[in-house]
Amino acid sequence: MAYLFAASSTDNIDAGTSVPHGSTFTVWARLLFSTGTNQMIASYRNTTINFQWYMSGLGTVSAALTASGVPTFVNWLSGLTNGTEHTLALTYNGAGMQLWADTDASPKATVLLSTTPDQDAGQRFLIGNYFRGLDYSYDGTMFEVGWWNSALSGAQLAQLGAGGVNATA
């Protein structure tokens, strides 16, 4: 079932604190691409950020992972068209973040991290917005969102991008 997010600081799906967070993860979404600014796909945070994954404007897909209070960013100027359906993924493999798209088994952008991301039990996993009441709502439609407590491989993400199921780590 698709969810149409609206421009509102309260429009999100709150998965609470039950989504596990560990040394590796993958978050994946099938959505209608939005070229808006600060369009949050998903975030995992409270007053301390673990990660945020968003459209930062003009077709750029961005993610930030915070370690010792300092965010590290990865950005991909996608060239994707507003309103077109795509699958996007963000992985953290313990050493860095990677952005992925559609059926491509190679990452679109990569950044290395030298420290462990900030994590605490009070962090909430939000789909479609940002914690703390700021209006970073994803102004568009998401069809599916997935979370794995491991970094999926490029082949697994390409399978998901092609509409495959049962990608396991």
Side-chain angles (χ1 to χ4, degrees):
M1 175 167 84
Y3 188 90
L4 176 61
F5 291 91
S8 167
S9 62
T10 59
D11 196 3
N12 65 68
I13 298 171
D14 186 344
T17 59
S18 62
V19 174
H21 55 291
S23 58
T24 63
F25 68 84
T26 299
V27 61
W28 174 90
R30 186 169 63 88
L31 47 75
L32 292 181
F33 191 76
S34 172
T35 55
T37 301
N38 293 330
Q39 306 268 324
M40 196 66 61
I41 300 169
S43 63
Y44 200 51
R45 66 163 297 146
N46 53 13
T47 55
T48 306
I49 300 171
N50 182 323
F51 85 89
Q52 53 194 25
W53 181 35
Y54 58 102
M55 309 301 184
S56 56
L58 302 174
T60 301
V61 179
S62 299
L65 200 60
T66 303
S68 301
V70 178
T72 299
F73 294 90
V74 61
N75 300 293
W76 170 50
L77 181 57
S78 70
L80 301 177
T81 304
N82 194 47
T84 57
E85 186 176 325
H86 293 279
T87 58
L88 301 174
L90 167 67
T91 59
Y92 173 67
N93 63 9
M97 290 184 294
Q98 295 179 313
L99 294 171
W100 308 78
D102 297 323
T103 59
D104 195 343
S106 299
K108 300 295 185 182
T110 300
V111 66
L112 298 177
L113 292 154
S114 59
T115 58
T116 303
D118 298 330
Q119 299 180 29
D120 68 59
Q123 291 176 329
R124 305 184 73 77
F125 182 63
L126 296 179
I127 300 166
N129 213 330
Y130 184 73
F131 184 76
R132 299 176 74 180
L134 299 173
D135 182 10
Y136 290 166
S137 177
Y138 189 80
D139 298 337
T141 302
M142 287 191 208
F143 301 101
E144 299 175 84
V145 175
W147 174 275
W148 288 261
N149 204 27
S150 62
L152 297 182
S153 70
Q156 291 168 317
L157 292 167
Q159 179 186 11
L160 284 168
V165 294
N166 300 325
T168 57

